[in-house]
Every structure is written in C-alpha cells, then in structure tokens.
Amino acid sequence: VHRHVGTKRELYRKVVERLYHEDRALVEAWSARLPAASAQNADTARDVVQRLVDRVIERIVQEPVNTRLHMRRWFDPPDEISALESELYLKIYKPMIEFLERMRAAGVVSFEGDFRYFLRGVDWIVVGYFVAGPMSATQFRTDPLEPANVAAFKQFLLAYVYRMLGIAPAESRS
C-alpha cells in the first residue's frame, strides 16, 4: 500500500478527496435541478428536500463504509487533512445553506436558527443510524441496511427535517 499511495495520511487525503468529489457530484446534481422558484413554494421545497434525502440515503446504502470513515475522521483530533476537509466540504454545504436561506426569506420555512447547526444535526442523525443501526423491540442494534429499516428511517428523517424547518409533510396538507 505504501508504494502505491504513500503514508497513512496520504491515503486518508486521497480517500477524503475521492469522497468529496462523489459528495459534490451528488449535491451538484441535486442543486442543478432546483427550479428557479423552488424556494418560494412549500410543495416544491418539500419535494426538493425529499429528493436530497433520497439521494443521500441511496448513496450511503450503496457504500455504507464511507459513513463509518466520515465518523472516524470526525472523532479524530484536527490534523493536516482537516484544513483540506474544511476547504472542500464547506463548498458542498454552501448551496444547501443558500437554498434554506431562500426558503426562510420567502416564508416557506419557519426555522429561526443557524442552518449550519441544523445541517450538522442532520449529519449526526444519518451517521448514527447507519453506524449503529435502529433498535427493535428485541435488539439494541439491528441491520441499518435492511430495506424495511431504510424505508422507516427515511420516513423518520423526512418527518424530522420537515418538523424542524416548519414545512408541513405532504399528507397533512389540506
């Protein structure tokens, strides 16, 4: 391994860059399809949020090891790769924060807090689910990749996001 990628830090750097490019492609594909007025309308905003949640969960299900790597990196003390992560990943979060700010300005969401904290909270909910798995009536940890569990988690996550943002879920609209 050392001959192909160098030190452990160099390997981490290459992996972080690869994950960033994959994550950026996901967010760019999502943001490129944002209708111009999507932040102005609750129905469209709800659909946009759901598409992002769907894509993020689909990607994690396809490559769950990436979530564990992110978690391990977050638990590590800051190092020379931390600056690179900040530089790269803040670019990914920027369009999401801008979209949320536009929704707030249009009165589509009622969330009054800092969207950076909101997004970090969502990050940890997702990471926690895919690393630890859900509880069942008989087991403390079950398979997070079980399709029924993934579907239930997606419903939970959307309900949580809609509630935090103050967007009514589709089924409760009149």
Side-chain angles (χ1 to χ4, degrees):
V1 172
H2 184 50
R3 187 178 61 193
H4 294 288
V5 294
T7 67
K8 181 179 176 183
R9 286 287 153 215
E10 290 167 336
L11 175 61
Y12 261 129
R13 183 180 183 86
K14 288 180 187 304
V15 171
V16 164
E17 288 173 344
R18 179 184 61 82
L19 291 175
Y20 160 74
H21 290 294
E22 292 171 3
D23 291 345
R24 185 187 74 193
L26 183 150
V27 171
E28 284 178 352
W30 168 79
S31 61
R33 292 195 317 250
L34 288 177
S38 61
Q40 308 292 319
N41 175 291
D43 290 335
T44 307
R46 184 182 311 99
D47 293 340
V48 166
V49 169
Q50 182 169 350
R51 277 200 315 269
L52 181 59
V53 167
D54 287 345
R55 287 299 304 130
V56 166
I57 291 175
E58 287 167 13
R59 180 161 183 277
I60 292 171
V61 167
Q62 291 169 358
E63 294 188 62
V65 70
N66 293 345
T67 302
R68 290 183 183 276
L69 177 63
H70 279 301
M71 186 194 72
R72 288 188 55 88
R73 286 288 308 147
W74 291 345
F75 280 138
D76 285 345
D79 58 20
E80 67 275 2
I81 297 174
S82 299
L84 173 66
E85 284 175 316
S86 291
E87 176 188 337
L88 297 176
Y89 275 90
L90 288 175
K91 292 176 191 174
I92 290 176
Y93 282 84
K94 185 178 180 187
M96 290 184 278
I97 292 168
E98 289 171 349
F99 178 72
L100 292 167
E101 291 287 356
R102 287 195 311 272
M103 288 195 316
R104 180 167 40 206
V108 172
V109 301
S110 59
F111 182 77
E112 295 178 4
D114 186 328
F115 287 120
R116 293 170 299 180
Y117 288 100
F118 168 74
L119 290 173
R120 181 59 78 203
V122 171
D123 283 343
W124 276 105
I125 289 171
V126 171
V127 167
Y129 170 80
F130 281 102
V131 170
M135 287 185 276
S136 75
T138 59
Q139 292 181 302
F140 185 61
R141 292 178 66 177
T142 63
D143 183 2
L145 300 176
E146 165 65 37
N149 289 342
V150 172
F153 175 69
K154 191 182 295 186
Q155 281 186 316
F156 164 79
L157 185 60
L158 284 170
Y160 174 83
V161 168
Y162 294 151
R163 176 76 179 228
M164 287 296 294
L165 293 176
I167 300 174
E171 59 273 1
S172 71
R173 291 181 289 167
S174 29

